[in-house]
């Protein structure tokens, strides 16, 4: 097979052929010599007709075998297929964990009647490691606010909640919410096994709320994921403001002491 200078090198380095083994040793031989017996997987092994496509390992192997120039396009689809396969392979465990929670339903119902405590516990739970990669980023928050509008400084209550709900709905369509709900349920067996039944209820309840396609349904999980990004976004904005104040020869303390009316007059003067 003829290799173009601008093709990716067959040795598997991820570099262009011209910047790697062009004019040197045979890159195919180099690639084969690097593989251990367990790594010598050929594309025939990934033929759906010859493999179990409902196995997470199938999709993991598929991801590893993707040529570098195809990864950006196909990785998200493969990642989603792998999650679906993992969910199906663990469905019995998840359903068993759900049944184990029924004994603790009255205890959870009592918790939900105290909204502040319910949300506090949910936020504490969703700050744990299994949920870190499900968080909304500061860049996502910025993108959402640019579309749905920014919350007014110091806004709280209904006005703030409405903006947050709109931002979450903008960032997550029905398919993305369903994917997040699956990811939540995949963590459920571990929490039930650890005897954390109230946290298990929060996870199961949040998964159901997350999977809802209604635009007015957010729930503690999506709220916690968004608030993480919002805090990060706030920190970035504060750094920008500090830089502006420094450039203008004033400080944060002086700005706060002015109040809104004072700031407006000061800005006009500036």
């Amino acid at each position: 097979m003829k290799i173009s200078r601008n093709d990716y090198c067959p040795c598997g380095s991820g570099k262009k052929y011209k910047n790697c083994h062009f004019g040197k040793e045979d890159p195919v031989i180099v690639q084969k010599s690097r593989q251990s017996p367990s790594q010598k997987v050929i594309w025939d092994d990934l033929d759906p007709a010859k493999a179990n496509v409902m196995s997470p390992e199938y999709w993991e192997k598929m991801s590893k075998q993707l040529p570098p120039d195809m990864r950006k396009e196909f990785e998200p689809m493969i990642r989603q297929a792998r999650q679906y396969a993992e969910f199906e392979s663990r469905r019995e465990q998840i359903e068993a964990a759900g049944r184990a929670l029924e004994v603790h339903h009255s205890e959870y119902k009592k918790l939900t009647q105290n909204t502040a405590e319910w949300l506090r516990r949910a936020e504490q739970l969703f700050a744990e490691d299994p949920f870190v990669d499900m968080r909304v980023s500061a860049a996502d928050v910025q993108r959402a606010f640019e579309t749905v509008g920014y919350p007014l400084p110091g806004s709280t209550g209904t006005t703030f909640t409405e903006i947050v709900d709109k931002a979450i709905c903008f960032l997550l369509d029905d398919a993305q919410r369903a994917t997040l709900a699956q990811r939540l349920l995949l963590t459920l067996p571990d929490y039930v096994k650890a005897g954390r039944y109230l946290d298990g209820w929060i996870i199961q309840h949040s998964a159901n709320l997350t999977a809802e396609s209604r635009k007015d349904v957010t729930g503690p999980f999506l709220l916690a994921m968004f608030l993480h990004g919002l805090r990060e976004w706030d920190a970035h904005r504060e750094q920008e403001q500090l830089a502006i104040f420094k450039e203008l020869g004033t400080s944060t303390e002086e700005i706060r002491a002015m109040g809104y009316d004072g700031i407006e007059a000061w800005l006009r003067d500036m």
Side-chain angles (χ1 to χ4, degrees):
M1 179 179 67
K2 185 177 179 180
I3 307 169
S4 168
R5 285 167 52 86
N6 290 312
D7 286 343
Y8 284 97
C9 187
C11 78
S13 67
K15 299 178 181 179
K16 295 291 181 70
Y17 181 46
K18 63 184 179 183
N19 297 323
C20 196
H21 278 90
F22 179 71
K24 300 177 184 177
E25 55 194 321
D26 188 324
V28 178
I29 294 175
V30 170
Q31 196 267 349
K32 288 181 178 178
S33 68
R34 286 177 177 170
Q35 292 179 324
S36 66
S38 62
Q39 291 174 320
K40 291 181 179 178
V41 181
I42 58 176
W43 280 96
D44 282 349
D45 294 338
L46 300 173
D47 184 346
K50 302 177 183 178
N52 178 14
V53 296
M54 293 310 295
S55 162
E57 291 74 20
Y58 169 85
W59 295 104
E60 192 169 338
K61 188 183 292 185
M62 170 74 82
S63 177
K64 289 178 180 177
Q65 295 302 305
L66 274 179
D69 59 331
M70 296 172 64
R71 282 178 187 154
K72 185 176 181 180
E73 181 180 358
F74 289 101
E75 271 290 359
M77 289 181 282
I78 290 177
R79 192 161 53 243
Q80 189 170 3
R82 186 190 184 286
Q83 178 182 300
Y84 179 76
E86 183 180 3
F87 183 83
E88 288 302 314
S89 69
R90 297 188 63 192
R91 182 183 286 276
E92 289 185 9
Q93 294 177 38
I94 294 167
E95 290 175 350
R99 289 192 294 271
L101 289 178
E102 289 302 322
V103 181
H104 306 275
H105 181 257
S106 59
E107 191 180 353
Y108 180 65
K109 186 175 180 180
K110 184 178 178 181
L111 173 64
T112 59
Q113 289 169 353
N114 184 342
T115 305
E117 176 60 19
W118 178 52
L119 292 174
R120 184 201 65 78
R121 180 156 186 159
E123 185 174 4
Q124 189 176 43
L125 165 65
F126 294 131
E128 295 180 8
D129 288 345
F131 312 99
V132 167
D133 63 348
M134 304 183 207
R135 291 172 178 171
V136 172
S137 70
D140 289 332
V141 172
Q142 175 66 27
R143 187 162 53 87
F145 283 164
E146 285 175 354
T147 301
V148 305
Y150 292 85
L152 293 173
S155 62
T156 57
T158 305
T159 304
F160 177 76
T161 303
E162 286 175 355
I163 289 287
V164 168
D165 285 345
K166 287 179 182 178
I168 291 173
C169 289
F170 169 77
L171 290 172
L172 300 171
D173 60 24
D174 290 352
Q176 290 168 313
R177 288 171 73 117
T179 297
L180 278 174
Q182 271 192 353
R183 293 180 70 182
L184 270 175
L185 289 174
L186 283 168
T187 70
L188 183 61
D190 291 336
Y191 279 87
V192 172
K193 186 178 179 181
R196 296 176 60 176
Y197 302 114
L198 280 180
D199 289 335
W201 261 111
I202 292 174
I203 290 170
Q204 182 174 257
H205 189 182
S206 295
N208 291 336
L209 290 174
T210 301
E212 284 274 1
S213 60
R214 285 168 48 202
K215 297 303 181 185
D216 59 336
V217 174
T218 299
F221 168 69
L222 291 181
L223 183 60
M225 296 299 97
F226 185 83
L227 288 179
H228 173 83
L230 182 61
R231 284 191 286 269
E232 187 181 344
W233 180 83
D234 272 336
H236 290 171
R237 298 294 77 74
E238 187 173 348
Q239 290 302 313
E240 289 176 353
Q241 289 171 2
L242 288 173
I244 292 170
F245 295 157
K246 185 177 180 181
E247 186 71 22
L248 295 174
T250 188
S251 67
T252 308
E253 290 72 22
E254 289 172 323
I255 291 292
R256 285 175 181 155
M258 292 179 190
Y260 283 116
D261 292 339
I263 291 172
E264 197 172 329
W266 174 75
L267 286 172
R268 280 199 301 268
D269 292 342
M270 292 298 293

